[in-house]
Amino acid sequence: SKLFQNRDINKYYLAVSDKKPKKKQGMVSGEMQAARRGSWKLLPKKKTEKPDSIAKTQFFSGATAGGARLFLLKPLTGKTHQIRVMMKSLGAAILGDTRYGESTNTEQRCYLHAYSLNFHYQDKRFNFVLPPSEGKHFLTREAKQKVCKEWGHPQQLAWPKKR
């Protein structure tokens, strides 16, 4: 728990959207603020007096079957609903996300998957990777190619610059 508290654990998530994002890779950051009915929103960029409320997420994306897009996300902070809010702010809400996505969504699940953790503990490096094993959009040939070949070791990727 101390490693999580000190942000010494790198977490990676996979998500699928059926919308094209405003940008294909990069960093999304902004102040998170509580909204209505338990939701959160990302405020426009501006100087804030509350640096603890800033959320930051780096990401890559790639096209998959049927016009869907697969995302590899690396949150640098740990805010409530951070990834879901960031995806919505990109114009690419997570498929099946009933809170932040389209109300007409017919998916039976939310396409957000905890993919990988890595950290250093007692002079050893630990890497854990668990590709998705269910969800038709995670199991397409194109998605598997990205996950297994291109994003198989997310900690080794050249991530977009932190700001």
Side-chain angles (χ1 to χ4, degrees):
S1 64
K2 199 65 135 172
L3 292 173
F4 275 108
Q5 183 180 349
N6 294 336
R7 294 189 179 132
D8 290 332
I9 294 183
N10 293 312
K11 300 168 281 194
Y12 305 91
Y13 295 83
L14 295 172
V16 175
S17 178
D18 60 352
K19 305 283 188 248
K20 187 176 179 181
K22 293 176 184 172
K23 55 185 180 178
K24 293 180 182 178
Q25 70 177 37
M27 165 86 89
V28 177
S29 65
E31 185 175 343
M32 297 273 297
Q33 184 179 72
R36 296 180 181 166
R37 294 184 284 283
S39 292
W40 290 82
K41 62 184 177 181
L42 189 66
L43 298 178
K45 283 187 177 182
K46 63 176 183 170
K47 289 188 177 182
T48 179
E49 294 178 16
K50 303 179 196 172
D52 290 345
S53 65
I54 300 295
K56 295 180 180 182
T57 303
Q58 295 170 297
F59 73 96
F60 293 108
S61 73
T64 65
R69 198 151 190 93
L70 183 68
F71 291 79
L72 176 63
L73 302 128
K74 180 183 180 184
L76 302 177
T77 53
K79 306 295 180 199
T80 302
H81 296 197
Q82 175 176 327
I83 292 172
R84 297 164 67 192
V85 172
M86 297 283 172
M87 291 288 293
K88 181 178 180 174
S89 78
L90 285 170
I94 298 170
L95 203 55
D97 187 344
T98 57
R99 181 176 296 266
Y100 296 102
E102 300 284 325
S103 59
T104 60
N105 193 324
T106 59
E107 293 299 324
Q108 297 297 308
R109 62 161 295 163
C110 182
Y111 277 88
L112 179 61
H113 175 79
Y115 176 52
S116 178
L117 287 174
N118 73 64
F119 55 92
H120 198 102
Y121 180 68
Q122 295 184 346
D123 298 324
K124 290 184 185 175
R125 191 91 192 127
F126 292 88
N127 293 299
F128 300 96
V129 176
L130 181 64
S133 60
E134 56 185 56
K136 66 182 178 184
H137 297 286
F138 281 136
L139 302 178
T140 65
R141 183 176 51 82
E142 296 90 348
K144 286 181 178 181
Q145 172 74 19
K146 281 247 178 262
V147 170
C148 295
K149 301 274 194 274
E150 297 177 39
W151 297 343
H153 301 282
Q155 73 281 1
Q156 295 174 358
L157 296 173
W159 285 90
K161 298 231 185 264
K162 298 176 188 179
R163 288 182 244 167

